[in-house]
Amino acid sequence: TRHQTRRAPVARAFASCDLRQRGHINAAGFASFCAALNPGMPPEEAAELYRELDPAATQRVTFSAIAECLVRALDREGGGAATA
């Protein structure tokens, strides 16, 4: 489906940053993840997004949290990812 096609590069980028394969990445891994998906993203923007995804300051963000954030963003943009 279209949703799976759009999700594949995100999953690959996450896996490449989740070096220990634990299902979560820290702030440095998240910065690398963002750079892999959007090389033009300013580091400050990646850091702000990381703080939004880790409001409890656990120092880790899961793939699930990132996926949920992307689905919400796509829905706001009319991408309909949740129904694809």
Side-chain angles (χ1 to χ4, degrees):
T1 67
R2 182 180 58 155
H3 178 61
Q4 290 170 328
T5 302
R6 294 176 86 175
R7 186 180 62 190
V10 175
R12 281 192 302 274
F14 185 90
S16 73
C17 296
D18 182 13
L19 301 177
R20 295 184 181 159
Q21 299 179 346
R22 293 186 177 175
H24 57 81
I25 53 179
N26 62 14
F30 187 76
S32 296
F33 168 79
C34 290
L37 291 176
N38 182 2
M41 177 183 269
E44 302 80 23
E45 189 175 332
E48 180 180 337
L49 184 55
Y50 182 82
R51 286 189 297 275
E52 289 177 24
L53 290 168
D54 184 26
T58 62
Q59 302 304 311
R60 59 180 164 183
V61 172
T62 64
F63 180 78
S64 296
I66 293 169
E68 289 173 20
C69 179
L70 289 173
V71 167
R72 284 192 307 270
L74 288 171
D75 285 346
R76 281 192 306 270
E77 294 175 9
T83 59

